Amino acid sequence: MTSQIQRGQSRVDLHLHSTASDGTTAPSGVVELAAACGLQSIALTDHDSTAGIAEARKAGSKVGVDVITGIEMSTAFTRGELHMLGYLIDPENSTLRDRLQQFRDSRERRAETIVERLQAAGIPITLERVLASAAGGAIGRPHVARALVEAGQAKSVADAFDRFLVPGKVGYVPHFRLTPPEAIELIHAANGVAVLAHPYSTGAVETIVPELVADGLDGLEVFYSLYNDDQQAFLARLAGHHDLVPTGGSDFHGTGEREGHEIGSANVPDDTVDRLRRVAAAKR
Ligand code: AMP
Ligand code: ZN
Ligand code: FE
Ligand code: FE
């Protein structure tokens, strides 16, 4: 498996965010950037939203980039937050649509609560600016962070998070989340495959992965831009051991937005989408 870990020109990037959640580039713009850097297959994986997929697919058919459907669902587990990627899901599936509406409502109410708390703490920030930053997409803490920077209350998005938006700080409010097994079940209900995103973020890869496998996990995000070769080699072995599809991506949020997350920067094997399709087909 280690032989796959050679950094070079990648043709696949399966972890991309757009303005449908907290990315700064519109879905069509993400696809144009993908084409410009030589990507052939991509997935848009917005947080708790499939709203950008139709636009991305349309742009993909124009510029010759294969856009598969994707989502990144935030889930709650004992250690905090765990992100579950869903690939090849049917965005029209009614069970999925109902849940996503619930997420959207919860994120909107949460944004209001965050702004109220910050205002009560004397921070001059308005809901209007936060909503403008989200521009109709799934509202998240990065939108609040950008509004705080605009208002001169933080030096950068990272600074805004550190001072106001992480657990223990005045503006931290959780939003509605499923548990990891519920997210896997929902992804399967929508005919998709479930992949654990940036596995090291869980802080307990070796114990979490077997648990999720028992819950029906299909894949592991091995080729994540930020992970070094040793980390990727370890995850590749873990994926092989549990018969999980090794996937990968950059977690792009916009040009220059996050260091080490440039679009196309993950070294993802060319056959990854075919492998995901085979797993999805075997379930139907
Ligand atoms: P939310 O889903 O609204 O809770 O926000 C999650 C988003 O915030 C994800 O895109 C994270 O990458 C981003 N995020 C979480 N913590 C930080 C941090 N300390 N600095 C910058 N971005 C962060
Ligand atoms: Zn994000
Ligand atoms: Fe994530
Ligand atoms: Fe992400």
Side-chain angles (χ1 to χ4, degrees):
M1 275 297 178
T2 40
S3 61
Q4 289 181 338
I5 299 160
Q6 292 164 354
R7 312 245 176 195
Q9 178 61 53
S10 185
R11 287 184 280 265
V12 182
D13 190 334
L14 302 180
H15 193 151
L16 302 165
H17 294 273
S18 76
T19 49
S21 65
D22 58 1
T24 55
T25 308
S28 56
V30 173
V31 175
E32 281 155 23
L33 288 172
C37 69
L39 290 169
Q40 289 167 2
S41 283
I42 64 167
L44 202 62
T45 52
D46 276 306
H47 299 285
D48 302 331
S49 174
T50 55
I53 291 175
E55 180 185 316
R57 291 183 76 100
K58 199 169 155 201
S61 65
K62 277 197 198 128
V63 296
V65 173
D66 181 30
V67 181
I68 68 163
T69 60
I71 192 165
E72 182 176 22
M73 296 189 17
S74 310
T75 72
F77 80 124
T78 42
R79 285 172 160 269
E81 188 153 302
L82 178 154
H83 289 179
M84 190 68 69
L85 295 159
Y87 292 117
L88 303 170
I89 47 170
D90 171 12
E92 302 306 323
N93 177 273
S94 62
T95 311
L96 179 69
R97 286 173 66 113
D98 289 351
R99 272 298 191 196
L100 296 187
Q101 182 61 48
Q102 198 179 352
F103 288 144
R104 204 153 41 235
D105 294 345
S106 158
R107 282 180 172 277
E108 279 168 23
R109 282 198 304 275
R110 171 217 205 194
E112 289 167 17
T113 309
I114 293 176
V115 169
E116 280 162 19
R117 287 210 197 176
L118 290 169
Q119 287 173 344
I123 315 294
I125 179 178
T126 63
L127 185 60
E128 285 66 34
R129 288 312 307 158
V130 175
L131 294 176
S133 169
I139 308 175
R141 285 178 290 160
H143 301 116
V144 181
R146 286 177 205 145
L148 285 165
V149 174
E150 268 177 29
Q153 298 297 313
K155 291 194 297 280
S156 62
V157 164
D159 182 43
F161 264 88
D162 288 348
R163 290 172 51 209
F164 302 110
L165 300 172
V166 292
K169 297 298 162 81
V170 64
Y172 178 73
V173 180
H175 58 85
F176 171 75
R177 291 171 300 185
L178 300 177
T179 63
E182 287 170 340
I184 293 172
E185 195 185 332
L186 182 60
I187 290 164
H188 287 168
N191 293 323
V193 288
V195 175
L196 176 61
H198 37 73
Y200 285 111
S201 302
T202 59
V205 192
E206 283 169 82
T207 52
I208 292 294
V209 169
E211 282 178 32
L212 296 174
V213 167
D215 295 328
L217 187 73
D218 305 295
L220 198 63
E221 193 173 45
V222 169
F223 310 101
Y224 189 65
S225 291
L226 276 196
Y227 295 163
N228 65 34
D229 291 357
D230 287 345
Q231 290 173 313
Q232 295 193 11
F234 174 83
L235 293 174
R237 280 196 301 276
L238 194 62
H241 180 76
H242 291 288
D243 199 20
L244 298 168
V245 179
T247 72
S250 61
D251 212 352
F252 176 73
H253 278 76
T255 306
E257 278 296 307
R258 294 185 191 191
E259 216 182 313
H261 291 285
E262 291 77 20
I263 189 167
S265 60
N267 203 38
V268 187
D270 288 348
D271 66 351
T272 305
V273 172
D274 286 342
R275 293 184 68 172
L276 290 172
R277 283 193 208 283
R278 282 200 291 275
V279 172
K283 288 178 182 298
R284 285 169 194 160

